[in-house]
Amino acid sequence: MKNIRNFCIIAHIDHGKSTLADRLLEFTKTVGVKEMQNQVLDDMELERERGITIKSHAIQMDYEQNGEKYTLNLIDTPGHVDFSYEVSRSIAACEGALLVVDATQGVQAQTISNLYMAIDNGLEIIPVINKIDMESAHPDEVEDEIVDLLGCDPEEIIRVSARTGEGVPKVLEAIVERIPAPTGDPDAALQALIFDSVFNPFRGIIVYFKIENGSIHKGDLVKFVNTGKQYNADEIGVLKLQMAPREVLTTGTVGYIISGIKTSAEVRVGDTITHVATPCEKAIEGFQEVKPMVFAGVYPIDPEDFENLRTSLEKLQLNDASLTFTPESSVALGFGFRCGFLGLLHMEIVQERLSREFNMEVITTVPNVSYKVYDKKGEMTEVHNPAGLPDPTLIEHIEEPYIRASIITQSEFMGPIITLCLGKRGELVKQDYISGNRMELTFDIPLGEIVIDFYDKLKSISKGYASFDYYISEFRDSKLIKMDILLNGQPVDALSSLIHVDNAVTLGRRMCEKLKELIPRQQYDIAIQAAIGAKIIARETVKQVRKDVTAKCYGGDVSRKRKLLEKQKAGKKRMKQIGTVQVPQKAFLAVLKLD
């Protein structure tokens, strides 16, 4: 056990985590020359296309130093704020972390956020400055930033270039020397933490775990503490580039178990595995539950695919524990699910994965956050969907979630960023200079305001230099109202939204104008209206497509033309009564990007 090292790589997005992982695998000869490619651990097509890590990836490496053999278990983590839950799960299975900082960009928001998460879990931190081979690198300044942040000695910081491999051997030496071996009792009852799982259509659900105490043999009868279900360990093993079966796994090892589990409800991330014959006294504690930030309705395009969508979401949830969903129905879209996501990128990725991995084409409604609604009796209900809002006469007040946002940027972009945040009803809490011309701005902003296009705007006004991180701080009383969109007097519940009273009229007008462009013309006029209760605040009309019925009248009395027009008018009226207006999927998405 003293020769095992469990560590993860944490960093801000695009600071070179996956490239450093590639070099570590190359130096330890875990991956052969033929199998080597960029982002070797990112096995999802989507990850390669976008150049981002979406899933944490665990892999075991064998390494020899001073004649002793060591087993290194590496977990490569995502860097985007929307996948921070993946990072928290990886940290729970490690004793140490490589904190990678880009020599050209310095310390950024997600660097700090992931670092604090690792420190809270008591991990040993090894600071690494990456990309020192770049012309625009300024490693000395970045070193000062890390020293200020960690309070470590400059000698402890390792300078590497993950692209060329320079400095990577020093990283491997530091992992062995600085990261502690796992602590645990090999003779105690089995206690293993589940930190991930994946669905395999042939073998059922494969569960990834880290053994805290005890050991597990192939064929043992084990149970999952929280669900109470019992299984035979048909196959156990460690995670190389492919799964490598083993007869026994001991304390401190990261591995997998296959036991023919078919239903996703039986596997929960954060659960504990133990033996049925000699169970452990209590489950492993301290694993945080996921808190969805953004909610949106997901509906199948064909209503008959509802059950297929449920199965697809369950399988996806195994591989992405931060996704939550509950069934709901909508007048406009039929049956579907209200899904909880960690952010807009997460929502986009889930939609893309449903399409690619399960061939499920879905319609996603306007995303919104959860609100606390207090009625006149003082009772509180959580509302994730504007359609679930009680009658306005019964509501005492509504509270909305506020976030504490940390934005790290260069001082030249400070003015536009403050203007953007204040325009989103934000309040400036403090501003600090980190080093040189880089500063950290801290804001309190309503989560509902940043859900849609805040991150895109922040990146464009800062030319990509601002980094952004946030956490939910509190719920505050707000003047929120429900705005409905009516098509020919019928409300479309999927387009309803809860918004602040000050923004209602401008947003209502913009939504009507956008829908006018996107809804196809019919044989009759379509009235698009934005309404708050019974009050109409904006209106646009999609003009009807008309045939010129008077074209054949080339003379004679005007009453002939009038008679034909009256007949046409009566037909249009009948059509309007029985016609339904189809809202295209583009319209739901366009509401997100109104600017």
Side-chain angles (χ1 to χ4, degrees):
M1 197 168 88
K2 70 181 198 310
N3 287 8
I4 296 175
R5 301 287 183 272
N6 298 319
F7 68 100
C8 57
I9 304 180
I10 53 175
H12 189 81
I13 191 167
D14 203 25
H15 278 207
K17 295 179 294 302
S18 298
T19 314
L20 180 60
D22 289 352
R23 291 297 82 75
L24 293 173
L25 295 175
E26 208 174 311
F27 272 85
T28 55
K29 299 185 172 58
T30 307
V31 178
V33 179
K34 286 181 184 174
E35 296 160 325
M36 198 63 213
Q37 55 178 339
N38 287 340
Q39 290 175 264
V40 71
L41 290 178
D42 292 351
D43 49 14
M44 216 186 289
E45 194 182 318
L46 202 54
E47 292 178 313
R48 296 187 165 285
E49 268 177 35
R50 293 180 177 236
I52 59 173
T53 302
I54 294 167
K55 283 286 304 163
S56 297
H57 298 277
I59 191 163
Q60 190 179 92
M61 304 179 284
D62 297 319
Y63 174 64
E64 194 170 321
Q65 186 174 313
N66 303 332
E68 275 205 63
K69 289 185 177 175
Y70 293 90
T71 301
L72 312 181
N73 290 311
L74 152 71
I75 304 180
D76 180 25
T77 65
H80 196 282
V81 65
D82 277 16
F83 305 115
S84 55
Y85 188 60
E86 289 282 334
V87 183
S88 76
R89 286 159 43 194
S90 307
I91 284 172
C94 294
E95 280 83 36
L98 298 181
L99 180 74
V100 180
V101 181
D102 188 332
T104 62
Q105 302 197 37
V107 171
Q108 292 191 288
Q110 203 61 28
T111 314
I112 296 172
S113 159
N114 289 342
L115 170 68
Y116 287 154
M117 212 189 296
I119 290 172
D120 288 345
N121 278 276
L123 267 62
E124 179 66 36
I125 309 293
I126 299 177
V128 176
I129 297 177
N130 190 17
K131 304 190 186 180
I132 55 168
D133 59 316
M134 303 277 278
E135 286 180 15
S136 56
H138 40 86
D140 294 338
E141 287 175 36
V142 175
E143 190 172 274
D144 294 341
E145 287 179 26
I146 295 174
V147 170
D148 287 346
L149 183 66
L150 279 174
C152 61
D153 292 331
E155 297 80 49
E156 290 177 30
I157 301 169
I158 304 169
R159 297 188 182 191
V160 304
S161 163
R163 191 171 59 178
T164 62
E166 182 188 342
V168 174
K170 286 184 186 170
V171 175
L172 286 163
E173 285 169 24
I175 290 165
V176 170
E177 287 163 13
R178 294 195 218 168
I179 293 176
T183 54
D185 183 355
D187 303 319
L190 173 65
Q191 221 183 6
L193 172 76
I194 298 175
F195 68 89
D196 206 353
S197 60
V198 61
F199 180 79
N200 182 308
F202 305 106
R203 314 210 53 187
I205 294 161
I206 302 169
V207 177
Y208 298 160
F209 60 84
K210 181 203 172 189
I211 301 177
E212 300 282 349
N213 292 304
S215 59
I216 182 171
H217 291 72
K218 183 180 175 180
D220 282 356
L221 185 63
V222 297
K223 74 169 181 179
F224 293 2
V225 175
N226 285 344
T227 60
K229 301 273 185 182
Q230 299 184 3
Y231 309 99
N232 277 317
D234 299 336
E235 181 180 312
I236 56 170
V238 294
L239 299 154
K240 298 278 190 180
L241 200 55
Q242 309 295 333
M243 293 187 291
R246 297 281 186 271
E247 287 299 313
V248 59
L249 295 176
T250 53
T251 307
T253 312
V254 173
Y256 70 89
I257 177 170
I258 298 174
S259 50
I261 306 169
K262 292 287 184 286
T263 52
S264 56
E266 294 175 25
V267 179
R268 290 199 194 132
V269 168
D271 202 348
T272 304
I273 304 176
T274 189
H275 282 126
V276 173
T278 53
C280 57
E281 289 177 11
K282 61 181 195 301
I284 298 165
E285 291 172 3
F287 198 84
Q288 64 180 43
E289 276 294 307
V290 61
K291 295 186 189 76
M293 305 286 185
V294 177
F295 294 87
V298 173
Y299 294 86
I301 287 178
D302 182 351
E304 290 177 3
D305 285 339
F306 174 71
E307 280 305 324
N308 292 349
L309 178 59
R310 183 199 293 275
T311 313
S312 305
L313 284 169
E314 282 174 356
K315 288 176 183 172
L316 194 56
Q317 194 179 35
L318 280 171
N319 198 232
D320 182 357
S322 49
L323 171 68
T324 60
F325 62 91
T326 50
E328 71 164 6
S329 63
S330 147
V331 180
L333 300 168
F335 290 103
F337 294 92
R338 169 104 338 214
C339 296
F341 306 97
L342 293 184
L344 271 197
L345 177 67
H346 184 212
M347 177 175 134
E348 201 180 310
I349 295 291
V350 166
Q351 206 173 337
E352 187 81 13
R353 286 184 70 184
L354 280 172
S355 168
R356 289 188 186 202
E357 295 172 29
F358 305 101
N359 291 326
M360 284 301 310
E361 296 301 328
V362 294
I363 291 176
T364 312
T365 64
V366 182
N368 58 284
V369 299
S370 61
Y371 298 92
K372 291 182 177 176
V373 179
Y374 290 84
D375 60 18
K376 297 274 169 77
K377 295 176 187 170
E379 291 176 3
M380 187 273 288
T381 48
E382 272 207 9
V383 173
H384 303 313
N385 184 354
L389 203 66
D391 189 274
T393 55
L394 304 174
I395 296 173
E396 178 65 36
H397 67 277
I398 301 176
E399 290 185 356
E400 67 176 332
Y402 266 69
I403 59 161
R404 177 62 59 94
S406 152
I407 298 170
I408 294 180
T409 180
Q410 294 181 347
S411 50
E412 64 201 82
F413 305 119
M414 181 177 127
I417 287 174
I418 290 178
T419 309
L420 171 70
C421 293
L422 296 180
K424 296 281 187 186
R425 297 192 285 133
E427 298 166 11
L428 182 62
V429 178
K430 61 175 185 186
Q431 54 192 62
D432 300 314
Y433 276 90
I434 298 176
S435 67
N437 68 338
R438 295 179 69 238
M439 59 190 310
E440 180 179 12
L441 300 169
T442 307
F443 287 91
D444 281 342
I445 310 177
L447 179 61
E449 294 283 342
I450 69 148
V451 152
I452 300 203
D453 53 1
F454 178 80
Y455 194 65
D456 298 346
K457 286 183 178 171
L458 179 69
K459 281 293 182 194
S460 57
I461 60 176
S462 65
K463 298 181 183 165
Y465 279 110
S467 62
F468 172 65
D469 184 53
Y470 64 89
Y471 62 89
I472 296 273
S473 57
E474 60 183 336
F475 276 77
R476 289 193 200 171
D477 191 358
S478 290
K479 286 185 179 172
L480 297 168
I481 46 175
K482 180 186 174 189
M483 184 176 76
D484 289 311
I485 297 293
L486 312 176
L487 295 180
N488 281 344
Q490 295 298 317
V492 181
D493 54 355
L495 289 172
S496 301
S497 50
L498 265 177
I499 47 174
H500 196 264
V501 68
D502 297 346
N503 304 340
V505 177
T506 48
L507 186 72
R509 196 171 292 141
R510 280 163 54 201
M511 279 177 84
C512 288
E513 286 167 2
K514 196 77 189 175
L515 287 169
K516 183 184 176 183
E517 293 171 24
L518 293 166
I519 290 178
R521 289 170 73 186
Q522 306 283 347
Q523 299 275 346
Y524 48 88
D525 283 356
I526 301 171
I528 304 169
Q529 296 166 307
I532 295 166
K535 185 184 174 190
I536 305 294
I537 55 170
R539 170 178 172 136
E540 293 287 338
T541 307
V542 179
K543 283 297 182 193
Q544 60 189 351
V545 183
R546 292 186 60 203
K547 178 184 174 187
D548 187 1
V549 288
T550 60
K552 62 187 176 188
C553 301
Y554 50 87
D557 191 54
V558 73
S559 60
R560 285 179 65 200
K561 284 187 178 177
R562 196 169 293 136
K563 182 179 153 192
L564 289 167
L565 289 168
E566 288 296 330
K567 192 176 170 187
Q568 185 188 35
K569 191 175 171 184
K572 297 272 185 204
K573 193 174 177 184
R574 266 200 315 279
M575 230 185 266
K576 188 172 180 176
Q577 285 167 351
I578 60 164
T580 55
V581 183
Q582 293 295 323
V583 183
Q585 162 75 348
K586 279 191 299 188
F588 293 111
L589 298 175
V591 176
L592 313 188
K593 302 185 172 73
L594 279 170
D595 290 341

